[in-house]
Amino acid sequence: MEGQSATVQRSEADLLSYAKSTPLNPWGTYLHQIDMVKPHLGDLNRWVGTMQRPKRALIVDIPIEMDNGEIRHFEGYRVQHSLSRGPGKGGLRFHPDVSLEEVMALAAWMTIKNAAVNLPFGGAKGGIRVDPSTLSQRELEKVTRRYTSEIGLIIGPQQDIPAPDVGTNPQVMAWVMDTYSQNVGATVTGVVTGKPVHLGGSLGRTRATGLGVFAIGRVMAAANGLALDGARIALQGFGNVGGVAADRFVKAGCRVVAVQDHTGTLHNAGGIDIASLQEHVDRSGGIAGFAGADDLTLEQFWDVPSDILIPAALEGQITADRARRLSTRIVLEAANGPTVPEADEILFDRGIAVAPDVICNAGGVIVSYFEWVQDFSSFFWSEQEIYVRLEQVLIQAFDAIRELAVINGLTLRTATYLLSCRRVLTARKERGLYP
Ligand code: NAD
């Protein structure tokens, strides 16, 4: 058994060094992650091509009359990577850098995430190449409605259910729901999640991802012999996810010793008062200028000794250099894609445990699933019920991943991808090919 797991780890390391020598775009990174699990898929390898291409990709033109009378065209996408286990599910991103290739990768990662937590969904993602901050509210509504109408061909409560992502919010989801509903002649709340609560949205959605990060953190700490009481947290990103997670860790007895956001970096070895920091951020829009801590430079953040590091801001933050310098025991990937593949290998070699993004930040999509279920039954749960069920689903999924990792001598990331690929490819195999 020991010999077997050593072999597995070597082949994983070989693949990681391939990633080191090959600059990867998001889709390339995803394909590399699938390559990592192929040695463990056995007979299911016959079907692995299903994971390596999207099932369906739609590119749409969105012509809009701007407030100044000018006609402008925006490009939009909706990619359904997999529908093998259920309808597509994944967010809508409005950002000037959105491309088909990025949306393909994001859709594929939703397939992995949804299967990892065993939700009855495939994976999908959509986006518009637009900077929403340059649009008036009226222009944003027009762009959203025309885009929804164009992708109306392939979305629906049983086909594919969008949700908010970067640059979109509950108001945008309300317009998506209304446009789809107007086109089919009935109010269809279940076509989209992340809606305002009085339009069929779910209680608890806002806090769900941060609470999920804490739930995974508690399990990781116990598994690594770390007592949460007194544990030191370093946190990058003090927004929706980071703020909620910090609050929960502090309530469990942790000290947040460093916080970084887009405005600055704070350090206080005795622990930053998170409730006061939240008030400061609500008032001023960022952590800069907070009195209860010292300022550090951006790069010094990565040298602060901690027990748990939580990247909760952007992708690509834990680079190889930072991974070598980090002084921490556990990394909780609250953000999507915060660790570059080369850094993953370094963290593994240094014995730093990493909870991968696809499980660590899955709390949001789990409550999105609850929203979809509630919309279908037109019966809405209490916030308390949401949180209890969220933790049940997440921890059950994480336990299965940890067991698979131990049995096969894999990192938690590779184990997560393996479990998801097995679930998707088994569904694919059992459904068979048509014709
Ligand atoms: P948010 O916009 O509420 O907060 C983002 C935080 O990151 C802010 O504190 C911002 O100041 C900080 N930040 C931005 N640029 C930075 C930089 N250059 N350096 C340091 N900090 C920077 O976003 P969020 O909803 O909290 O999402 C955070 C991450 O979690 C993203 O990667 C997102 O994709 C991921 N995520 C969020 C959810 C969710 O439900 N909100 C679900 C899954 C994944």
Side-chain angles (χ1 to χ4, degrees):
M1 187 64 197
E2 276 179 13
Q4 276 173 9
S5 83
T7 310
V8 167
Q9 285 177 14
R10 260 201 309 278
S11 73
E12 197 175 347
D14 287 347
L15 284 161
L16 281 164
S17 34
Y18 156 80
K20 212 184 324 187
S21 59
T22 320
L24 295 175
N25 52 35
W27 180 248
T29 300
Y30 165 74
L31 290 180
H32 164 71
Q33 288 161 337
I34 297 302
D35 284 346
M36 301 272 294
V37 301
K38 274 163 66 177
H40 309 283
L41 282 174
D43 292 348
L44 287 173
N45 263 310
R46 181 160 180 255
W47 297 89
V48 77
T50 297
M51 301 302 294
Q52 292 165 321
R53 47 186 58 73
K55 174 180 174 60
R56 187 178 283 146
L58 186 62
I59 305 178
V60 297
D61 173 41
I62 306 159
I64 295 299
E65 184 178 4
M66 308 297 281
D67 291 348
N68 64 5
E70 180 196 347
I71 305 293
R72 282 187 62 190
H73 292 255
F74 299 95
E75 191 162 285
Y77 315 92
R78 185 73 188 171
V79 174
Q80 295 169 344
H81 173 259
S82 170
L83 303 179
S84 293
R85 304 181 75 247
K89 183 95 194 77
L92 293 181
R93 180 168 292 195
F94 290 4
H95 192 276
D97 296 337
V98 162
S99 66
L100 177 60
E101 200 184 43
E102 183 194 40
V103 177
M104 278 166 55
L106 294 168
W109 282 320
M110 286 309 299
T111 300
I112 298 291
K113 187 182 293 192
N114 291 333
V117 282
N118 217 1
L119 302 181
F121 290 136
K125 201 87 179 189
I128 304 178
R129 191 186 253 285
V130 62
D131 180 352
S133 68
T134 63
L135 301 180
S136 69
Q137 190 78 346
R138 180 80 194 115
E139 291 165 342
L140 180 63
E141 180 175 352
K142 282 186 186 177
V143 166
T144 304
R145 287 188 181 277
R146 181 60 189 254
Y147 167 76
T148 305
S149 218
E150 293 294 341
I151 65 162
L153 293 167
I154 62 169
I155 62 167
Q158 302 281 17
Q159 288 82 33
D160 180 1
I161 307 116
D165 189 65
V166 175
T168 57
N169 56 29
Q171 174 61 74
V172 171
M173 297 306 114
W175 290 327
V176 172
M177 188 274 270
D178 183 70
T179 307
Y180 183 86
S181 298
Q182 299 295 338
N183 286 347
V184 300
T187 296
V188 187
T189 53
V191 66
V192 71
T193 61
K195 300 177 292 294
V197 170
H198 54 275
L199 283 180
S202 179
L203 293 172
R205 174 63 186 87
T206 322
R207 288 172 60 80
T209 306
L211 293 179
V213 172
F214 172 71
I216 296 288
R218 211 175 40 200
V219 175
M220 289 287 284
N224 288 277
L226 173 70
L228 278 188
D229 198 14
R232 297 160 303 168
I233 309 270
L235 173 67
Q236 188 196 40
F238 197 72
N240 176 264
V241 178
V244 171
D247 173 60
R248 287 301 290 117
F249 278 106
V250 167
K251 288 196 168 110
C254 299
R255 266 181 299 148
V256 178
V257 292
V259 179
Q260 179 172 79
D261 79 350
H262 70 288
T263 65
T265 304
L266 301 176
H267 176 244
N268 182 340
I272 296 168
D273 180 343
I274 289 301
S276 303
L277 181 62
Q278 187 66 64
E279 282 170 23
H280 175 86
V281 170
D282 292 345
R283 255 195 329 269
S284 67
I287 65 172
F290 180 66
D294 301 326
D295 290 331
L296 294 183
T297 65
L298 189 152
E299 209 44 45
Q300 282 172 329
F301 171 81
W302 303 98
D303 299 320
V304 175
S306 65
D307 299 298
I308 301 177
L309 172 73
I310 309 176
L314 305 171
E315 66 283 357
Q317 292 301 292
I318 305 184
T319 58
D321 172 53
R322 289 170 178 171
R324 278 186 210 101
R325 282 159 43 203
L326 280 181
S327 166
T328 196
R329 294 172 63 183
I330 293 169
V331 175
L332 301 177
E333 290 187 341
N336 284 315
T339 310
V340 306
E342 187 185 354
D344 226 8
E345 182 186 11
I346 295 165
L347 295 177
F348 178 75
D349 287 344
R350 294 190 58 210
I352 298 174
V354 179
D357 51 2
V358 279
I359 185 78
C360 200
N361 67 28
V365 75
I366 292 172
V367 174
S368 275
Y369 164 61
F370 295 163
E371 179 174 335
W372 181 73
V373 169
Q374 292 170 87
D375 285 341
F376 267 115
S377 59
S378 296
F379 178 78
F380 290 87
W381 311 344
S382 72
E383 201 161 352
Q384 192 53 33
E385 276 174 285
I386 303 272
Y387 294 146
V388 169
R389 290 180 199 219
L390 162 63
E391 190 158 333
Q392 269 170 1
V393 173
L394 191 60
I395 296 305
Q396 202 173 359
F398 194 44
D399 285 346
I401 289 164
R402 290 193 310 133
E403 189 181 328
L404 195 63
V406 171
I407 290 172
N408 294 285
L410 300 174
T411 62
L412 289 172
R413 192 185 315 281
T414 305
T416 308
Y417 276 72
L418 177 57
L419 184 69
S420 296
C421 285
R422 279 185 181 163
R423 285 180 174 152
V424 175
L425 297 178
T426 301
R428 180 66 277 175
K429 179 181 156 195
E430 286 170 352
R431 288 180 65 159
L433 292 180
Y434 170 82

